Amino acid sequence: MEMTAGRRRHVPTRLSSAIPWFARMLPLCAAALAEEGPQVVGLTSAFFVGGAGAAFGFECTISAHREPLEITHAFGGGSGGEVWQQSSVLVVLSPSQGRAASLALAVEEHRAGFHLQRGRLHVGALRGPLEVPMHREAHGSQPGCPPAHCLAPAPDFLGHAVSRPRCGWAQPVDAIAFRDEVSGNKTATLEVDVTPLLALPNISALQIWAAPQSAAPSGMWQTPIFFVRS
């Protein structure tokens, strides 16, 4: 991942630790006015409902990861209940981050041996403080909801038949879709101008996620896994 602003660039910053799920870290080439640039971390979350809605729970983790980072979005259900889960990337901005920048990702799409729904990458802004690292989980009939940035981003299709988590969908500010797409297990570089997001007030981070473009006839979905290579 690379963020550039003006002509100044910084050496990639590497972070590492481990979390359960899809998660690893990536190098960041950050341009900022100070020596310390944005921090890149991974966010994974899952929301589940037991059979007949009897039990509800969630898990949410923000942590740095080994590379490559993965981005994905899935929903599945059956007689045992339903589960929504996603993995995304957070670029936690430093106070000295410039207000004009572009974001470039080298991404590889990985498809398993079963049918997957197309996924499109988006970037949006998050407001409010972020705790890094962070882990929240709750189980039971009334466990409440996690912080707003833990919520799963909404699919690109919505309708009365779409199952949604009890805590609702995330609401990143002014989300921008990457115009180019990745396919065929090949690495492609995607770039987007994030200047409009950085100009918003009280922005603490940028979130990059995959949004499914459709659901299977069963109403479930699973995007490919997008490996962020650099």
Side-chain angles (χ1 to χ4, degrees), residues 72-75 85 114-117 220-225:
T72 190
H73 197 305
F75 163 69
Q85 57 187 28
F114 50 88
H115 179 72
L116 300 174
Q117 283 65 52
M220 296 183 282
W221 62 80
Q222 168 70 65
T223 70
I225 299 173

Side-chain angles (χ1 to χ4, degrees), residues 88-107:
S88 57
V89 174
L90 299 182
V91 181
V92 183
L93 303 174
S94 65
S96 58
Q97 172 65 45
R99 287 297 178 256
S102 62
L103 178 68
L105 302 176
V107 180

Side-chain angles (χ1 to χ4, degrees), residues 25 38 104 118 120 124-125 127 137 163 165 177 180 211 216 225:
M25 180 214 90
R118 289 176 55 204
R120 191 174 185 88
R127 288 193 171 112
E137 64 177 275
S163 295
D180 297 323
I225 299 173

Side-chain angles (χ1 to χ4, degrees), residues 3 13 15 28-32 36-40 91-94 97:
M3 278 188 69
T13 299
L15 310 166
L28 170 67
C29 182
E36 184 175 344
Q39 181 184 16
V40 177
V91 181
V92 183
L93 303 174
S94 65
Q97 172 65 45

Side-chain angles (χ1 to χ4, degrees), residues 184-212:
N185 292 327
K186 296 180 180 179
T187 301
T189 299
L190 309 181
E191 187 169 357
V192 64
D193 182 6
V194 294
T195 299
L197 301 179
L198 297 178
L200 296 170
N202 304 318
I203 297 304
S204 58
L206 301 179
Q207 182 180 18
I208 305 160
W209 71 93

